[in-house]
Amino acid sequence: MILTILTFLPIAGALCLLFIPREEEGLHRGIALGTALATFFWSLRLLPDFDTGGFNHVVDSEWVPKLGIHYHMGVDGISLWLVMLTTFLMPIVLLSTYSSITKKVREFMVAVLVLEAGMIGTFLALDMFLFYVFWEIMLIPMYFIIGIWGGDRRLYAAIKFVLYTMVGSLLMIVAILYLYVKHHELTQVWSFDYFALSKVALGRHEELYCFLAFALAFCIKVPLFPFHTWLPDAHVEAPTAGSVLLAAVMLKFGTYGLLRYAIPLFPHAFVVCAPYLATLSVIGIIYGSLVAFAQTDIKKMIAYSSVAHLAFVVLGLAMWNAKSVDGAVYQMLAHGISTGGLFLCIGALYERRHTRKLDEYGGIATIMPRFFAIFLIITLASVGLPALSGFVGEFLILLGSFTASKSWAAAGLPLMVPHHTTLYAFLATTGVILSAVYMLYLFQRVMFGPLSNARNRDLKDLSAREVVIFIPMVVMAFWLGIYPSTFLTGIDPAVQRTIAEFKAKQEASGDVAKIVHVTETGR
Amino acid sequence: MSFELGDLSYALPILVLVVGGLLLLLMEAFSTGRSRAYLVPMTVLVVLASIAADVSVWSQVGEGGHSIMSGMLEIDRLSLFANAIFLTACGLTALLAGAYMQEHRFEFGEFYALIVFATAGMMILAAASDMVSIFLGLEIMSLAVYVLTGSWRRSPKSSEGAMKYFLVGSVASAVLLYGMALIYGAVGSTSLQAIANSKGAYVEPIFIIGLLLVLTAFAFKIAAVPFHMWAPDAYEGAPTPVTGFMAAGVKAAAFVILIRMCGTAFSRSELALGSTGWVSILKWVAVITMTFGNLAALRQENIKRLLAYSSVSHAGYLLIGLIATATVGNEARGPLLYYLAAYTFTTMGAFGVVAWLGRHGDERLQLDDWAGLAAKHPAAALAMTIFMLSLGGVPPTAGFFGKFYLFRAALGRADLTWLVVIAVLNSVVSVYYYLRVVTTMYFREPARESSPLQSRSVTAALVLAVIGTLLIGILPGWLVETASSALLGS
């Protein structure tokens, strides 16, 4: 029941908004913010007595009995913190729109709240049909957010965003259906249940195709090089709030999907594809960093930095050992805070100057001291300075990658020289250095130097409202950096369990499709 | 096999419509004054009465079905479920048409009687278990729809569309008759059941040719490529409520009789499967229909032509369902019926919004006329968005669940997987042009002032269509149960 309320509370808020006349903008903002805050406080109820061993607060009732579709939700250590990240960011994002969104306020608030419901539902779903429905529901509000409140090329960006995601997700639904039909063939039971479908070990060939269909959907969402081209367009054209939600939460569905669905469901196919995934992510890290460095548009720069950071997460998943996967999940949270914060910072600048061109800025530090402090902390968090959020995740991923050779061999992954894990780790490390280069370059160009541009002279420092927006982000950046145990105690057991089930399934499956019994911890 | 008076109770839904249609015709003939608006509630009343009769017969026939009129009609749950689809389309068309005809100044009193007769024809077609009654049902339906297409007499496009539709339709009827004659020549009977039971006849070339001709005739009716040429012109020219009726009702009727024929007369695996079976032919027709329909729709600037090509592509998806009935069997009939129901609500709604927007003989069909609609008319724009998302197959709408349910059935056989993959990729293409409509309404600045129809019955039709689209999309359970129990009798 907790999870149902958590998912549908934002929808209830959105419905309320529809019954209030559109002129009452203040009321719309207030109700939306109130709903988001209520959702956040409600999500805090997940924390006490959280059983890290499996899924909590499971709800399971029939939806379409004839087809075995259930309304099945649950939260484990991996989804817990991602849900918390979503509910945590939502009030902040809504607060940040008080000055930036001035037209069609009601529609904007409705779109954001529906988006929130979709995102929470996607993280919580344990029925593949339900997962797919929420996954697609997220798409439409984001399409409107980019298309109505976006920049000049918003039409192009919005449609590109939808079509890219659609290609992947529609192939994924075919794979889901394939798995579902196979499950029925083997057990005579129709079910979309995640645990039931987890037990289906497909034959080698079909498994590979299904994995590719899933992986394509998730890699587009991540976005992994070379599927990343929608991201810079979407980010640049989206309003600040859209960019924050896109970067901080929506991209995580790609990596979350790989970890929860694509990899554990198809272990053999993953073993075959892991070197390619790792190679693409290393390319993504280096390519994203280099391209970010070449940008003159600040938002595009952050967008490409997201490509690089998320590629780090995929690398952690591809290495597939407890350390690297812990790191990957941790990096998802850290990236949510740091990149979300960066987009909020750019948003604050943009509201004042209405330009994102790097050349237009310079010397801002002297006239906006509060902004200086906050931007500095968030930049350093993004770079991965120790004691700030970015460090822990990157460190764990690199540690996991350097020591991955053993676990790769144990998992049956090929260890040829070009695919040697140490090489990946080495190349990824250069990405860390590159990220420091472009982020510090960005910071320096904006903040330091002479205040040469006359239009920058009378910029106002952050208002009280904006400080309220940034304080929670800064606090979380420090918290994630200084005391990772808060989060890792939940993440680690869930990751260990996922890896153990992966191994059990991998060992049990063979050339033909069959049902295997992996340890079931769901109920 | 003889005529019994008791049989009539099974034909009650059809009889109610025929009698109701005659009454409507008489009321029109004897009415004084100019306005014909009062015929709308009358038509809705007739439709509701027929729905009530349909529901009562549903519980009466049970699982098995009941053969009436000396074996001419088979009243089973398949036909009764289909009746509900036709009646929905008919009722929504009547609600839309009143204000539409008034606005465009061609109050055509026989309109209501004609849609009711067309619906009766669809019901006969859906229940037909003999080639004679198939032809009879098809002609009753088609003749009425030809007239309806041309009913806007002062519009040259309407006449053009009607003429094309009539000529092509007549050719299709001729082809159908020819095919039936050949099949009769091979088997010696016109009864579908007798054809199914005939020994050995099904391998005779004359029979195969007859079968192909029959399928071709229905390919015309469902506007499958390459027999779709008439569709964009007829759809564009017809008064918009009639376009919706054609897209939803006529297509559904043709598909239901295809389900029946493929499930009885042509069901033998020697006939269906194999390298020259109708399944392998329909597979390619489905692929070409989907792909061509979607690609052609991409470039349309006229909303009715866009929806016409979208309707062509939906015929392609539906053909996958039909193919699945041959290989998977009964399991695939439910999805097909569900899809037709979902498509009826959605497409009637979409054409309803199109009908609602036009004013004074100017239909505002160009996409540019839709720019910025959301600013002035948020509710209508939201409704259109829901219909577009449903046609594109985005959850939580009926269109999504329909596609999902259909593909699930098709994946029951591994050799149809590639067909599903092609259909899915086609859906991505279709999302582009459906979203183009949404994009135009929401993301562009208003270009022209619009003062759409102010009519309670039109609003009611749109609200019903939205509720239908969302309700069976979010809670598909009961409709899935009902559709999958709507089996062929005997």
Side-chain angles (χ1 to χ4, degrees):
Chain A
M1 204 55 207
I2 291 189
L3 299 185
T4 306
I5 293 176
L6 185 60
T7 312
F8 291 99
L9 199 57
I11 299 261
L15 284 179
C16 279
L17 292 182
L18 288 180
F19 291 103
I20 297 169
R22 57 170 62 223
E23 292 76 29
E24 304 277 345
E25 291 190 356
L27 198 55
H28 286 300
R29 290 182 201 278
I31 291 179
L33 183 63
T35 311
L37 277 173
T39 313
F40 173 63
F41 285 118
W42 187 263
S43 72
L44 290 177
R45 293 191 49 167
L46 298 177
L47 293 175
D49 309 320
F50 193 83
D51 170 24
T52 54
F55 285 88
N56 293 252
H57 309 296
V58 174
V59 276
D60 189 357
S61 51
E62 287 190 328
W63 184 8
V64 187
K66 176 109 189 144
L67 307 185
I69 298 172
H70 281 227
Y71 173 78
H72 188 184
M73 287 185 163
V75 56
D76 74 342
I78 296 170
S79 49
L80 170 70
W81 293 109
L82 291 166
V83 170
M84 297 293 296
L85 176 72
T86 312
T87 57
F88 167 79
L89 280 172
M90 209 48 84
I92 295 177
V93 166
L94 285 175
L95 204 56
S96 82
T97 63
Y98 268 56
S99 50
S100 56
I101 301 293
T102 49
K103 64 165 188 175
K104 297 185 185 167
V105 174
R106 177 172 74 170
E107 285 80 356
F108 184 83
M109 298 299 159
V110 171
V112 170
L113 289 175
V114 172
L115 180 63
E116 179 176 19
M119 296 197 294
I120 295 174
T122 313
F123 280 132
L124 296 179
L126 286 178
D127 182 280
M128 306 271 276
F129 180 85
L130 187 65
F131 167 76
Y132 183 80
V133 168
F134 278 125
W135 170 275
E136 291 275 285
I137 284 179
M138 284 192 303
L139 217 56
I140 300 306
M142 191 44 115
Y143 163 75
F144 280 115
I145 289 175
I146 298 175
I148 298 181
W149 295 276
D152 299 333
R153 290 171 66 240
R154 58 183 195 270
L155 297 186
Y156 171 76
I159 212 107
K160 191 171 178 184
F161 163 74
V162 171
L163 288 185
Y164 263 66
T165 319
M166 274 280 190
V167 173
S169 55
L170 281 167
L171 287 175
M172 176 170 77
I173 190 78
V174 177
I176 291 177
L177 279 168
Y178 189 87
L179 205 58
Y180 162 82
V181 169
K182 265 280 160 342
H183 178 261
H184 176 254
E185 262 175 37
L186 295 165
T187 62
Q188 307 308 315
V189 178
W190 291 116
S191 173
F192 278 102
D193 192 86
Y194 172 66
F195 303 112
L197 294 186
S198 297
K199 289 187 200 146
V200 179
L202 295 175
R204 294 286 155 95
H205 266 292
E206 38 185 4
E207 191 183 21
L208 187 63
Y209 288 122
C210 287
F211 177 79
L212 288 177
F214 270 78
L216 180 69
F218 297 137
C219 288
I220 289 173
K221 201 84 173 177
V222 167
L224 193 64
F225 177 88
F227 309 112
H228 65 280
T229 54
W230 63 270
L231 184 76
D233 286 315
H235 265 320
V236 169
E237 299 308 322
T240 303
S243 296
V244 174
L245 291 175
L246 196 58
V249 188
M250 277 189 104
L251 303 189
K252 309 302 181 294
F253 288 107
T255 44
Y256 173 78
L258 283 173
L259 175 58
R260 164 92 358 120
Y261 296 100
I263 298 175
L265 286 175
F266 313 110
H268 279 292
F270 168 67
V271 168
V272 174
C273 296
Y276 302 103
L277 273 182
T279 310
L280 286 181
S281 35
V282 167
I283 294 175
I285 292 170
I286 295 174
Y287 169 86
S289 307
L290 290 177
V291 176
F293 191 63
Q295 298 305 317
T296 54
D297 182 310
I298 305 180
K299 249 182 154 179
K300 249 193 175 149
M301 208 162 175
I302 312 292
Y304 278 106
S305 88
S306 279
V307 172
H309 279 131
L310 265 297
F312 239 107
V313 179
V314 178
L315 180 70
L317 294 176
M319 290 300 156
W320 203 245
N321 58 59
K323 276 198 209 84
S324 72
V325 177
D326 278 351
V329 178
Y330 205 85
Q331 178 73 355
M332 288 196 235
L333 303 176
H335 177 264
I337 297 294
S338 63
T339 305
L342 279 174
F343 275 118
L344 285 171
C345 286
I346 306 310
L349 278 182
Y350 183 79
E351 272 171 42
R352 286 167 173 73
R353 282 283 282 106
H354 294 283
T355 176
R356 296 183 303 259
K357 290 269 164 280
L358 201 47
D359 307 338
E360 296 273 328
Y361 294 98
I364 305 290
T366 49
I367 51 165
M368 294 175 72
R370 280 184 235 157
F371 180 72
F372 170 78
I374 286 166
F375 192 31
L376 178 65
I377 294 168
I378 291 176
T379 304
L380 293 177
S382 173
V383 169
L385 192 79
L388 283 166
S389 59
F391 174 70
V392 181
E394 280 181 6
F395 181 75
L396 280 171
I397 291 171
L398 288 175
L399 190 66
S401 307
F402 271 115
T403 56
S405 306
K406 248 187 238 166
S407 63
W408 267 38
L413 289 166
L415 264 178
M416 296 162 290
V417 179
H419 295 317
H420 202 282
T421 59
T422 316
L423 182 66
Y424 291 128
F426 173 74
L427 289 171
T429 316
T430 63
V432 181
I433 301 167
L434 285 173
S435 89
V437 172
Y438 66 78
M439 283 312 296
L440 293 177
Y441 169 77
L442 165 70
F443 188 77
Q444 179 202 341
R445 288 289 299 276
V446 173
M447 284 300 173
F448 300 134
L451 192 58
S452 49
N453 195 331
R455 274 178 290 180
N456 288 338
R457 291 242 165 79
D458 44 358
L459 288 188
K460 290 200 173 58
D461 203 356
L462 296 184
S463 66
R465 177 181 60 86
E466 285 169 316
V467 172
V468 171
I469 294 169
F470 281 113
I471 290 225
M473 302 295 275
V474 170
V475 169
M476 286 316 293
F478 275 112
W479 194 341
L480 278 159
I482 293 172
Y483 198 69
S485 317
T486 321
F487 310 96
L488 282 176
T489 44
I491 294 169
D492 190 54
V495 167
Q496 303 270 14
R497 195 194 69 235
T498 310
I499 293 179
E501 286 174 4
F502 169 91
K503 281 213 179 101
K505 184 171 178 184
Q506 189 195 10
E507 278 159 18
S509 54
D511 288 334
V512 281
K514 62 179 171 186
I515 292 290
V516 297
H517 289 282
V518 292
T519 46
E520 188 182 319
T521 43
R523 348 180 193 192
Chain B
M1 287 263 202
S2 63
F3 180 80
E4 284 170 33
L5 207 58
D7 285 353
L8 286 182
S9 71
Y10 288 98
L12 203 56
I14 305 176
L15 293 178
V16 168
L17 274 193
V18 173
V19 172
L22 289 172
L23 281 178
L24 286 170
L25 209 55
L26 284 176
M27 273 194 237
E28 147 69 16
F30 286 101
S31 68
T32 49
R34 311 209 72 200
S35 174
R36 298 287 180 272
Y38 68 95
L39 288 174
V40 175
M42 293 295 157
T43 315
V44 172
L45 220 62
V46 171
V47 167
L48 288 178
S50 183
I51 288 178
D54 198 53
V55 171
S56 77
V57 176
W58 174 277
S59 47
Q60 208 178 327
V61 294
E63 295 280 322
H66 196 87
S67 184
I68 63 167
M69 311 274 179
S70 314
M72 281 290 151
L73 297 181
E74 173 81 23
I75 304 296
D76 53 13
R77 291 201 161 173
L78 175 70
S79 71
L80 293 170
F81 189 93
N83 288 353
I85 296 179
F86 308 147
L87 288 167
T88 310
C90 178
L92 291 175
T93 310
L95 285 174
L96 290 171
Y100 179 86
M101 290 197 294
Q102 231 164 31
E103 184 62 43
H104 297 293
R105 306 242 165 75
F106 65 104
E107 279 205 86
F108 177 63
E110 296 85 348
F111 187 96
Y112 305 98
L114 281 171
I115 52 173
V116 169
F117 287 143
T119 311
M122 290 171 189
M123 289 182 168
I124 293 172
L125 184 58
S129 56
D130 189 288
M131 292 200 291
V132 174
S133 44
I134 290 177
F135 188 73
L136 212 61
L138 187 77
E139 288 303 299
I140 295 175
M141 169 183 85
S142 300
L143 285 174
V145 178
Y146 299 147
V147 179
L148 286 169
T149 307
S151 61
W152 187 350
R153 268 166 295 180
R154 272 179 291 103
S155 157
K157 287 221 159 180
S158 177
S159 308
E160 180 198 333
M163 203 61 196
K164 279 190 181 160
Y165 191 25
F166 174 67
L167 286 179
V168 174
S170 309
V171 173
S173 298
V175 170
L176 181 68
L177 272 184
Y178 196 13
M180 286 175 169
L182 291 179
I183 291 175
Y184 178 73
V187 180
S189 169
T190 53
S191 151
L192 295 184
Q193 209 53 52
I195 297 169
N197 295 334
S198 66
K199 291 200 171 62
Y202 52 82
V203 284
E204 285 179 37
I206 192 173
F207 184 91
I208 309 261
I209 294 170
L211 174 133
L212 291 180
L213 289 175
V214 169
L215 288 183
T216 308
F218 282 103
F220 271 110
K221 286 290 161 200
I222 61 170
V225 180
F227 308 112
H228 67 284
M229 310 303 194
W230 59 274
D233 291 326
Y235 277 38
E236 190 193 354
T240 312
V242 176
T243 315
F245 188 60
M246 281 157 71
V250 174
K251 182 171 292 182
F255 263 102
V256 171
I257 190 60
L258 279 174
I259 294 175
R260 187 179 295 283
M261 285 194 297
C262 293
T264 53
F266 309 147
S267 63
R268 292 200 176 240
S269 60
E270 298 93 326
L271 215 52
L273 309 171
S275 56
T276 53
W278 55 264
V279 164
S280 58
I281 296 170
L282 285 189
K283 269 183 195 168
W284 288 107
V285 174
V287 169
I288 299 168
T289 304
M290 291 186 287
T291 314
F292 179 84
N294 279 324
L295 293 181
L298 284 180
R299 306 282 312 201
Q300 299 304 321
E301 289 299 327
N302 179 310
I303 185 95
K304 268 165 103 176
R305 292 187 84 85
L306 186 148
L307 288 173
Y309 282 111
S310 126
S311 159
V312 169
S313 73
H314 278 275
Y317 303 133
L318 282 160
L319 279 175
I320 297 179
L322 188 67
I323 293 161
T325 61
T327 51
V328 191
N330 260 336
E331 189 73 23
R333 288 191 186 114
L336 209 48
L337 290 174
Y338 180 96
Y339 198 105
L340 286 170
Y343 185 69
T344 299
F345 279 115
T346 311
T347 204
M348 284 305 308
F351 281 112
V353 180
V354 177
W356 166 85
L357 188 66
R359 198 77 205 261
H360 290 314
D362 169 19
E363 283 218 273
R364 308 209 174 205
L365 297 177
Q366 295 306 307
L367 262 186
D368 291 339
D369 295 339
W370 290 64
L373 192 71
K376 272 277 175 61
H377 305 285
L382 185 66
M384 192 65 176
T385 305
I386 290 170
F387 299 136
M388 289 297 115
L389 293 179
S390 178
L391 286 174
V394 178
T397 56
F400 160 70
F401 196 86
K403 261 189 197 145
F404 163 83
Y405 193 19
L406 199 70
F407 294 162
R408 166 188 176 274
L411 282 172
R413 277 280 297 247
D415 57 344
L416 292 183
T417 309
W418 64 274
L419 208 54
V420 175
V421 170
I422 291 177
V424 152
L425 293 176
N426 259 298
S427 299
V428 181
V429 176
S430 75
V431 166
Y432 175 79
Y433 61 81
Y434 292 128
L435 282 186
R436 247 185 92 200
V437 179
V438 180
T439 301
T440 312
M441 291 189 301
Y442 279 88
F443 304 170
R444 283 174 52 186
E445 296 306 318
R448 290 174 65 184
E449 278 296 303
S450 55
S451 49
L453 295 183
Q454 303 284 341
S455 155
R456 265 194 229 133
S457 60
V458 173
T459 313
L462 293 180
V463 168
L464 280 175
V466 167
I467 291 176
T469 307
L470 288 181
L471 190 69
I472 64 176
I474 295 171
L475 298 171
W478 65 273
L479 193 62
V480 167
E481 295 284 347
T482 319
S484 45
S485 73
L487 303 177
L488 280 172
S490 61

